[in-house]
């Protein structure tokens, strides 16, 4: 008989001699990967899981929220908006007058007094807060030269700094660019019962900025000597790494409303104490209707006064608790048995099968 | 202009482009090298009476070349001479059609001598032939040699791309070179399939581009209104660049628009295409090709994904168009019964009969009689015909004619030693081989064929036990084709007797019988019906004694027709008609064509999955319906609509023979039938809740039904029906029907077939599947996926298709992740004066897609499985989610978009709001970079966790990929912090604040809360089917079906296998009887596609005879 195929009954590679046959056969090798049999965890989002997850979130979040809120409430914060108060009443009526006032040279100091609402423990941070000031505008953000700031030899790296890159005579401005040019120049000094309160201006910038981004041997040059004066002038005998106001200013803010650290007061301020503030109102925010605020604030472990995190945590925690409860009730009132075949679509419409 | 540094923006894009560019360039280079190598290959050409090697590229038409063993043919050659006896040579055509078996070609007898250089230089001849074309299996031409015109056939043509085997060398004349060769003519039009996914992707990308445009326009308008000299600190003096010049706000708008386009371009996922390609590539090469469930041990064939970009379409198939022979059935024909002179021989029972008997309750003994003879192609149990016992039957002469007819009338080629045990037959179709094998077993052993003679070793003819070798001179072969449906051979006995043997379908034979055989005819027809209902394929045998004068007269006409250049086939048919008449009926044969294993259950599973299965076959209507019953495509409780051309009115018109009249009447009939059926079907739909309807239509009617006017009616009707059977269809019609559904119903279609005749429909359907392992490779070469058995279709579709489809969620995920990311940037724009300032650093932006979020998506796409493989087959209904397209609908996309908007708002506002005051006890403030980095951290973490929320099955790869991505981000952030730049020490700064940790905990949870809540609610109240299935089987451990143990399953005992097969058998037998001879495999696909008749050629015979399965030798111990 010319049997060419092996009958199925006797032929196909059996397990005993499979290995011998398999060497030449095209039989794919078994592996869990190719057979898609990798051990896998198959989570099923049962109501029990949903409820537990929500409960877990609420259990974790509510205490964090409470703690954050407490921390935030412990912080004593004095916010004083002075941009209007510090302009003579005659110039307050419209923007042009205000701008004219601020642009007129002369002493624009104004004295105000603030009452401490609660005892403030040192360090008390002094911030200025600007509003409607777009430090995050693209034209503004890029108008700086990090090389120039860091390295005295890179003085000429001013390509990004236009129009504050060089003077009309061609000498470079250090620090160049719009950010430095528009350096905030209001000043604050405090006194309690005529006794000067010292404002420590050391260590208000991030250490990494101070040490690595601003050079110890880079000195201001030709700064604010052009036609238009944008803001503060810099002492050209102090290296940039010690010009902390500049360093703080040049870490541009993310949002158009921002606070920047001005200094630290290292004295206790007692409740109901009255602080006299002498404000040097020099900075022009009047052109663009920007507010200026002086902020005195203590900190907690969380930082400054910021209710947002606490409220967010509490809200989410509460919401999750509510959802857990709702799910539980729904689950008790209208349960769906797990794996009930009657829910299968082909069982639901009997017309199908 | 550009807010980004060029390098960071272009980097990833360039990377993607470079990779694909490099790949292309490398492939081109390799192709160039290969071309060069081929062009410079040497071949021996006859020059000045000796062989001289020249380069292939210098070869010219008319050159005489010598090709040595294992050499490739440098051009299309006319085969002149070979070192083998009988002027034959063996070629391998693997390059041409992928078939690995050797083809035997034969030179014209007149040119056999030109084998030496001396002789070959004397060769003078002229070849007249057709123009170069791409039809591989046809060739029409003449050789004018020594003033004689000799017709040329495809089997004298050696095609470029083939190579010579088992022959020392051959000599040939160059006919076509270079681009005129058939292989090159074929290479020109390569069809590529575009997956519907790509089309959908394009739409999605368009939607994203529209979104991009809108947000850019919003930003640009904002910018134009925002910019104002009052912000003196922007230095908007005279020389300010146009983008910020408040004096020309239109310019500001235009310039800022451009800035925003680059800024928000992250919304368009460049890496999506690459990701999808990677996923699909791994899916097809690792999962489909190596799936042990789809490995067929008997033929040693694993599945093969030939294209990788159609995986997801496998999960959405709604219509399957299946071939019958070789696809649903095994195409392993076994001679089972016969009827000689009205007497039925063969006592076996077919599986269909046994299945029927079991259902009616009769207990069938499954014993095999000791006398049963069983070998491949022969399964016959009746001692009355064996070992010469037929001499004692009532009609021994009839038996003798029957056996001789079987042994002589065929186009089979024997191969191997000429002893009955060792010989193998190369046949056009398995039916032919089965018949010759049957003759051998009855004692008429055909062992040798020369171009003019057939040698048969006949036993017991003169007297019991005597063996004679007889050589029958073959005078003419009237070949089979689908119009003739019969095959005849005129032969001369050694004693000079001239006989025409003919075999063919019952209808064609019965109308050519001589008068006066009514009784025999009636009984034989009854037997035929009986065989038919048992599921057997039948064939009638007849002969005619010829008068030498009549024959000579006819032979002249025949020789003349053979030499015609035009209409040769048609004329040959007409001439054949003249002699094939007044036949004497001998009897009929019955061949069993068994269903493939597991076909009915596979079809049941697939139809439960909501897939409609159409059977398209070249077989007779009765055969088709019978098989349809057998594989449960139809059953007795289904309503059947039969549109057949075999009605009285049509027959009447056909007899009159007026073609226009026939066409008109046919069309009218078809229209009437269609509208009647449609009305009825619609009525059924309305009245019964779940009607089951079947449409059966034959090829002739289909021609008219596909008419543009009737097309819609046909489509509507067939879409209502649960199954459709089209019989008597040509390959082209198969493709047309596929196209009808593909275009008309806009559903995903799949065609499955095994033969050359299925190539057209395989190409036409969205997904083409070829059955590999048995018949030729042409279907496989045209297919997108190749599997060994029809039953593997359920694995391919329900499991791999579903997985492929599930991985579509990658797209929506990409959409979500890019939208979320871009929107946070967009919200920032509102608070940054619409200036186009980046919220994140350039590098974060560019690496977001490529590094921080790429790996988990790939892992997800690869491993996502909602239910295990066995469950997806246990609940085939789950497959319907793919058809409903439930993971990629616009509603779904909208939901993701909503989630993206919510999350981006959370990211932006939560992060910025919590950064408004001093952030640790040192009271220092954070800057833009710090806040941006913080927000980016939240985005990366959340987006990766969101992926985890999507997963239904989480492997350790998920864990690794997700933790790697998040870690990569932190590592990158630390590296950035070490480099002096505007990110210097940013991470150190933010990580020194409590705010970082609190925000880091809060933001991802808040962002994911919405999605988590929705998933919980959805699962509780509106569960998807797969979720219920997951729940039902939640306690079951993973079913490791132990594919490693799969081979044990194929080790059933024969009885077990038989029982299994019977258990799968149909529950109804059809009322139809009679099986046909017509096997669609007979006709060359290319020929019929172009409307050319290509009758069976010896060459063709060999080509198709690829049943040569290698004997498997088991190691002996």
């Amino acid at each position: 008989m010319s049997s060419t195929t092996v009958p199925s009954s006797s032929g196909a590679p059996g397990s005993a001699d499979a290995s011998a046959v398999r060497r030449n056969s095209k039989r794919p090798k078994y592996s869990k990967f190719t057979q898609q049999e990798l051990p896998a965890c198959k989570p099923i989002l049962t109501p029990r899981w949903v409820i537990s997850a929500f409960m877990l979130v609420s259990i974790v979040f509510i205490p964090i929220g409470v703690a954050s809120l407490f921390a935030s409430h412990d912080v004593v914060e004095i916010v004083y908006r002075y941009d209007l108060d510090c302009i003579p009443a005659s110039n307050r009526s419209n923007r042009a007058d205000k701008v004219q006032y601020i642009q007129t040279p002369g002493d624009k100091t104004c004295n105000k007094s603030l009452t401490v609402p609660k005892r403030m423990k040192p360090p008390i941070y002094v911030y200025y807060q600007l509003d409607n000031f777009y430090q995050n505008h693209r034209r503004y953000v890029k108008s700086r030269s990090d090389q120039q700031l860091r390295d005295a030899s890179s003085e000429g790296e001013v390509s990004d700094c236009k129009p504050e890159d060089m003077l009309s005579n061609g000498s470079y401005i250090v620090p160049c660019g719009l950010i430095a040019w528009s350096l905030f120049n209001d000043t604050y000094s405090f006194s309690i019962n005529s006794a000067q309160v010292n404002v420590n201006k050391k260590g208000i910038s991030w250490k990494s900025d101070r040490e690595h981004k601003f050079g110890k041997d880079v000195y201001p040059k030709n700064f604010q000597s052009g036609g238009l004066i944008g803001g503060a002038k810099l002492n050209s005998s102090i290296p940039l790494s010690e010009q902390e106001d500049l360093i703080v200013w040049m870490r541009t803010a993310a949002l158009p409303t921002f606070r920047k650290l001005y200094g630290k007061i290292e004295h206790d301020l007692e409740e109901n104490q009255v602080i006299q503030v002498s404000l040097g109102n020099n900075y022009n925010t009047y052109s663009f209707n920007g507010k200026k605020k002086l902020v005195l604030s203590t900190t907690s472990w969380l930082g400054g006064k910021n209710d947002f995190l606490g409220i967010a945590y509490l809200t989410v925690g509460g919401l999750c608790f509510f959802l857990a409860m709702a799910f539980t009730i729904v689950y008790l009132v209208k349960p769906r048995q797990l794996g009930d075949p009657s829910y299968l679509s082909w069982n639901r419409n009997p017309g199908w099968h | 202009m550009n807010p980004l540094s060029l390098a960071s923006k272009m980097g990833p894009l360039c990377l993607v482009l470079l990779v694909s560019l490099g790949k292309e360039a490398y492939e081109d280079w390799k192709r160039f090298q290969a071309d060069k190598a081929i062009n410079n290959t040497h071949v021996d050409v006859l020059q000045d009476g000796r062989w001289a090697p020249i380069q292939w590229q210098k070869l010219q038409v008319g050159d005489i070349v010598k090709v040595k063993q294992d050499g490739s043919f440098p051009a299309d050659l006319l085969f002149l001479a070979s070192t083998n006896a009988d002027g034959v040579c063996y070629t391998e055509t693997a390059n041409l059609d992928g078939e690995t078996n050797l083809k035997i070609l034969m030179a014209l007898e007149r040119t056999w001598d030109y084998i030496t250089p001396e002789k070959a230089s004397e060769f003078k001849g002229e070849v007249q032939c057709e123009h170069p074309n791409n039809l591989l299996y046809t060739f029409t031409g003449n050789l004018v040699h020594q003033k004689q015109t000799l017709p040329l056939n495809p089997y004298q043509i050696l095609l470029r791309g083939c190579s010579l085997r088992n022959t020392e060398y051959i000599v040939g004349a160059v006919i076509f070179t270079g681009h005129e060769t058939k292989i090159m003519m074929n290479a020109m039009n390569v069809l590529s399939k575009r997956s519907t996914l790509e089309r959908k992707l394009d739409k999605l990308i368009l939607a994203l581009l529209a979104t991009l445009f809108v947000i850019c326009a919003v930003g640009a308008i904002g910018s134009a209104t925002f910019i104002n000299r009052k912000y003196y600190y922007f230095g908007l003096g005279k020389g300010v660049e146009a983008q910020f010049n408040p004096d020309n706000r239109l310019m500001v708008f235009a310039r800022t628009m451009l800035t925003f386009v680059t800024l928000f371009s992250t919304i368009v996922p460049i890496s999506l295409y690459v990701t999808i390609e990677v996923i699909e590539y791994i899916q097809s090469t690792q999962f489909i090709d190596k799936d042990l469930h789809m490995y067929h041990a008997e033929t040693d064939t694993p599945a093969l994904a030939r294209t990788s970009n159609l995986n997801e379409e496998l999960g959405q198939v709604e219509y399957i168009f299946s071939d019958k022979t070789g696809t649903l059935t095994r195409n392993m024909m076994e001679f089972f019964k016969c009827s000689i002179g009205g007497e039925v021989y063969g006592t076996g029972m077919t599986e269909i009969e046994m299945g029927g008997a079991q259902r009616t309750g009769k207990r069938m003994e499954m014993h095999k009689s000791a006398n049963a003879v069983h070998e491949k192609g022969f399964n016959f149990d009746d001692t009355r015909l064996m070992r010469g016992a037929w001499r004692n039957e009532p009609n021994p002469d009839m038996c003798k004619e029957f056996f001789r007819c079987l042994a002589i009338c065929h186009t089979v080629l024997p191969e191997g030693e000429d002893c009955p045990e060792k010989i193998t037959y190369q046949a056009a179709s398995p039916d032919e081989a089965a018949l010759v094998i049957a003759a051998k077993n009855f004692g008429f052993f055909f062992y040798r064929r020369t171009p003019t003679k057939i040698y048969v070793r006949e036993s017991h003819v003169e007297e019991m036990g005597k063996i004679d070798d007889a050589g029958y001179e073959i005078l003419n072969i009237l070949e089979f084709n689908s119009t003739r449906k019969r095959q005849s051979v005129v032969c001369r006995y050694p004693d000079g007797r001239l006989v025409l043997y003919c075999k063919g379908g019952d209808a064609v034979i019965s109308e050519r019988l001589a008068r006066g055989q009514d009784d025999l005819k009636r009984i034989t027809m009854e037997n035929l019906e009986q065989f038919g209902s048992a599921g057997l394929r039948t064939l009638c045998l007849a002969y005619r004694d010829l008068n030498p004068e009549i024959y000579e007269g006819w032979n002249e006409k025949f020789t003349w027709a053979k030499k015609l250049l035009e209409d040769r086939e048609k004329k040959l048919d007409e001439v054949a008609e003249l002699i094939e008449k007044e036949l004497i009926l001998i009897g009929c044969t019955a061949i069993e064509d068994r269903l493939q294993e597991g076909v009915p259950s596979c079809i049941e599973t697939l139809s439960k999955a909501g897939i409609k299965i159409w059977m398209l076959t070249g077989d007779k209507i009765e055969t088709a319906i019978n098989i349809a019953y057998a594989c449960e495509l139809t059953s007795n409780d289904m309503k059947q609509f039969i549109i057949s051309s075999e009605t009285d009115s049509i027959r009447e018109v056909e007899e009159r023979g007026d073609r226009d009249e026939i066409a008109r009447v046919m069309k009218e009939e078809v229209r009437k039938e269609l509208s009647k059926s449609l009305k009825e079907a619609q009525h059924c739909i309305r009245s019964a809740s779940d009607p089951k309807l079947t449409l059966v239509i034959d090829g002739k009617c289909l021609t008219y039904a596909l008419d543009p006017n009737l097309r819609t009616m046909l489509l509507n009707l067939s879409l209502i029906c649960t199954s459709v059977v089209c019989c008597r269809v040509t390959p082209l019609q198969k493709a047309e029907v596929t196209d009808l559904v593909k275009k008309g119903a806009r559903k995903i279609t799949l065609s499955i077939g095994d033969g050359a005749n299925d190539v057209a429909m395989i190409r036409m359907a969205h997904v083409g599947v070829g059955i590999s392992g048995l018949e030729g490779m042409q279907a496989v070469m045209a297919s997108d996926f190749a599997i060994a058995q029809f039953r593997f279709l359920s694995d391919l579709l329900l499991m791999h298709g579903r997985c492929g489809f599930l991985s579509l969620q990658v797209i929506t995920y990409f959409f979500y992740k890019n939208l979320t990311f871009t929107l946070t940037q967009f919200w920032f724009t509102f608070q940054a004066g619409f200036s186009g300032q980046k919220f994140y650093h350039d590098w974060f932006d560019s690496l977001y897609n490529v590094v921080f979020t790429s790996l988990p998506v790939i892992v997800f796409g690869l491993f996502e499985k909602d239910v295990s493989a066995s469950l997806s087959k246990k609940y085939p209904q789950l497959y319907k989610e793919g058809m409903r397209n439930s993971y990629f609908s616009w509603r779904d996309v909208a939901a993701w978009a909503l989630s993206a908007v919510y999350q981006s708002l959370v990211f932006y506002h939560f992060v910025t709001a919590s950064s408004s005051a001093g952030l640790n006890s040192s009271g220092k403030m954070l800057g833009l970079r710090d806040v941006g980095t913080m927000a980016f951290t939240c985005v990366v973490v959340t987006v990766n966790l969101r992926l985890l929320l999507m997963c239904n099955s989480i492997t350790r790869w998920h864990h690794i990929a997700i933790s790697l991505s998040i870690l990569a981000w932190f590592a990158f952030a630390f590296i950035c912090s070490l480099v002096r730049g505007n990110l210097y020490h940013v991470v150190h700064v933010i990580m020194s604040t409590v705010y970082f940790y609190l925000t880091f905990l809060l933001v991802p949870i808040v962002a994911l809360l919405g999605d988590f809540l929705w998933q919980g609610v959805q699962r509780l109240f509106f569960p998807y089917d797969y979720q219920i299935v997951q729940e039902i089987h939640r306690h079951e451990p993973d079913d490791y079906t132990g594919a490693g143990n799969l081979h044990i399953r194929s080790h059933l005992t024969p009885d077990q296998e038989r029982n299994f097969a019977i258990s799968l058998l149909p529950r109804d037998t059809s009322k139809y009887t009679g099986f046909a001879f017509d096997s669609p495999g007979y006709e060359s696909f290319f020929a019929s596609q172009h409307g050319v008749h290509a009758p069976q050629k010896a060459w063709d015979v060999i080509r198709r005879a690829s049943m040569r399965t290698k004997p498997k030798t088991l190691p002996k111990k």
Side-chain angles (χ1 to χ4, degrees), chain A residues 93-126:
Chain A
S93 54
N94 61 40
R95 203 174 82 186
D97 286 347
K98 287 189 260 183
V99 173
Q100 200 211 338
Y101 169 77
I102 202 78
Q103 283 177 343
T104 317
D107 180 31
K108 294 189 209 73
T109 312
C110 78
N111 292 305
K112 301 287 166 187
S113 52
L114 302 170
T115 313
V116 178
K118 237 168 121 186
R119 184 164 175 267
M120 295 169 88
K121 277 193 221 153
I124 297 156
Y125 295 99
V126 180

Side-chain angles (χ1 to χ4, degrees), chain A residues 188-291:
Chain A
Y188 313 112
S189 59
F190 302 89
S191 56
I192 298 170
N193 301 329
S194 306
Q196 189 70 23
V197 174
N198 188 35
V199 176
N200 182 2
K201 298 203 59 139
K202 286 278 170 223
I204 55 174
S205 58
W206 294 98
K207 194 164 159 255
S208 55
D209 284 359
R210 211 156 55 224
E211 291 180 353
H212 300 285
K213 290 185 121 177
F214 292 82
K216 290 188 177 63
D217 54 349
V218 185
Y219 294 90
K221 239 188 250 176
N222 304 324
F223 191 63
Q224 301 288 25
S225 53
L228 268 173
I229 308 297
K233 300 194 170 173
L234 293 173
N235 185 340
S236 57
S237 59
I238 303 173
L240 290 187
S241 62
E242 286 168 36
Q243 307 261 14
E244 291 207 41
D245 278 328
L246 178 73
I247 298 175
V248 168
W249 181 254
M250 293 205 58
R251 195 174 188 99
T252 48
L255 298 180
T257 302
F258 59 89
R259 280 179 191 183
K260 288 198 178 276
L261 193 54
Y262 179 81
K264 290 180 273 186
I265 297 174
E266 276 148 352
H267 289 284
D268 272 13
L269 293 180
E270 299 300 329
E271 191 169 344
N272 294 328
Q273 227 172 12
V274 176
I275 323 168
Q276 276 79 42
V277 194
S278 172
L279 296 139
N281 184 20
N282 304 317
Y283 200 67
N284 177 14
T285 57
Y286 302 100
S287 298
F288 49 90
N289 285 333
K291 295 172 199 142

Side-chain angles (χ1 to χ4, degrees), chain A residues 138, chain B residues 1 3 243 255-264 835-836:
Chain A
R138 187 152 70 90
Chain B
M1 286 300 289
Q243 190 178 354
R255 293 290 182 96
T256 317
M257 188 81 183
L258 284 178
T259 307
F260 278 124
V261 168
T262 49
L263 178 64
F264 295 132
S835 58

Side-chain angles (χ1 to χ4, degrees), chain A residues 321-337:
Chain A
F321 184 75
F322 167 76
L323 286 173
M325 289 300 114
F327 248 83
T328 316
I329 290 165
V330 166
Y331 185 56
L332 291 177
V333 170
K334 198 190 161 201
R336 177 174 76 82
Q337 202 201 331

Side-chain angles (χ1 to χ4, degrees), chain A residues 145 147-157 172 174 215 217-219 221:
Chain A
S145 166
Q147 283 115 304
Q148 196 201 45
L149 294 175
R150 190 165 58 225
D151 192 355
S153 60
S154 309
E155 195 184 291
E157 300 278 344
Y172 299 115
V174 181
D217 54 349
V218 185
Y219 294 90
K221 239 188 250 176

